[in-house]
Amino acid sequence: MPPSLIEVESIRKEYPMPGGAVQALRSVTLAFEAGELVSIVGASGSGKSTLLYLLGLLVTPTEGVYRYGGREVQALSDAERSRLRGRQIGFIFQSFHLVPQLSVLQNVLLSARYAGNGNGKTGGRARELLERVGLAKRLTHRPAELSSGEMQRTAIARALLMDPQVILADEPTGNLDEKTGAEVIALLEEFHQEGKTVIIVTHNLKLAERTRRKITIANGEVAS
């Protein structure tokens, strides 16, 4: 039987603090299959965002094993981890993380730069993705000229530029009204139906109920 796309085993993550280390994750063991649509829910401070950042190689575990596609991530060099993150994992953040001085198109193309792909062949794909998310007429606009929904759709296009296997979304509807949030979720569901693995951290229980699997994190552990 082939390995799961993502596996974490007995993962622990702590952050050193002046008053003593803070345990963000405590012995978490999970697996994610290719093509899954999964939500991660829990109270603020439960560790769910730390788990997402760990899955996306933005933080490293204090203890435990992380395997991506059967390869142990801790055994990879920094360059290999950066390449894996840049080409196989797309991030969508609650606060969008757009560069204010850059246009919509330039913000999307940042993914190619981070992935070490500076050959200019991604411009066509960026335009196609922006058309698909309804921003074909906003290519030259800067983030300050966009609505919150348009900024999040820009972030989605950026996350998908390198055609990653996995999309990680941290509270993707947190700064959006209900209607706009529903539009963003519909986009994520659409890309999932095309074979992407989508993992969403959310406080929105209605959104969580729309996913195929819901994982609850409490006090840094898997509660259900």
Side-chain angles (χ1 to χ4, degrees):
M1 184 175 178
S4 301
L5 177 61
I6 292 175
E7 299 172 296
V8 293
E9 183 179 336
S10 301
I11 285 288
R12 185 171 66 83
K13 178 62 180 177
E14 66 178 34
Y15 294 101
M17 300 293 284
V22 173
Q23 297 282 342
L25 294 174
R26 308 167 189 265
S27 193
V28 171
T29 296
L30 288 168
F32 300 88
E33 305 300 326
E36 273 202 282
L37 176 60
V38 183
S39 58
I40 300 174
V41 301
S44 295
S46 62
K48 59 188 186 301
S49 289
T50 296
L51 175 59
L52 196 75
Y53 292 169
L54 190 144
L55 296 177
L57 309 181
L58 292 178
V59 299
T60 56
T62 305
E63 287 182 5
V65 178
Y66 176 11
R67 299 182 188 90
Y68 186 99
R71 301 177 69 193
E72 192 169 318
V73 171
Q74 290 95 320
L76 302 178
S77 67
D78 288 344
E80 288 172 323
R81 282 197 295 271
S82 293
R83 189 158 50 247
L84 175 63
R85 181 174 60 242
R87 298 184 180 182
Q88 298 297 329
I89 300 171
F91 266 97
I92 302 166
F93 298 95
Q94 178 180 357
S95 55
F96 318 130
H97 286 198
L98 302 179
V99 179
Q101 297 87 353
L102 300 183
S103 69
V104 165
L105 180 59
Q106 290 169 330
N107 266 287
V108 172
L109 287 170
L110 280 178
S111 284
R113 185 182 300 177
Y114 295 149
N117 185 342
N119 59 18
K121 294 182 179 180
T122 50
R125 175 166 172 78
R127 288 178 171 83
E128 289 171 8
L129 284 168
L130 287 166
E131 181 174 0
R132 186 167 177 185
V133 300
L135 295 175
K137 296 181 179 179
R138 296 288 208 175
L139 301 186
T140 61
H141 288 65
R142 286 181 168 77
E145 301 171 298
L146 305 177
S147 68
S148 295
E150 289 170 334
M151 284 192 279
Q152 193 60 292
R153 283 184 275 153
T154 301
I156 291 173
R158 180 185 58 196
L160 286 158
L161 181 67
M162 301 309 297
D163 197 23
Q165 286 183 294
V166 177
I167 301 171
L168 302 177
D170 189 12
E171 298 286 3
T173 63
N175 285 331
L176 307 177
D177 61 59
E178 187 172 352
K179 178 178 180 295
T180 306
E183 292 170 354
V184 164
I185 294 309
L187 276 172
L188 292 176
E189 288 176 330
E190 187 178 316
F191 288 114
H192 162 252
Q193 289 164 6
E194 295 173 7
K196 301 295 183 189
T197 304
V198 181
I199 304 173
I200 305 170
V201 159
T202 183
H203 280 103
N204 186 333
L205 294 182
K206 287 184 179 179
L207 164 57
E209 294 301 332
R210 290 171 64 167
T211 62
R212 305 290 176 85
R213 182 158 65 112
K214 181 174 71 173
I215 297 166
T216 302
I217 302 292
N219 298 317
E221 299 177 313
V222 178
S224 65

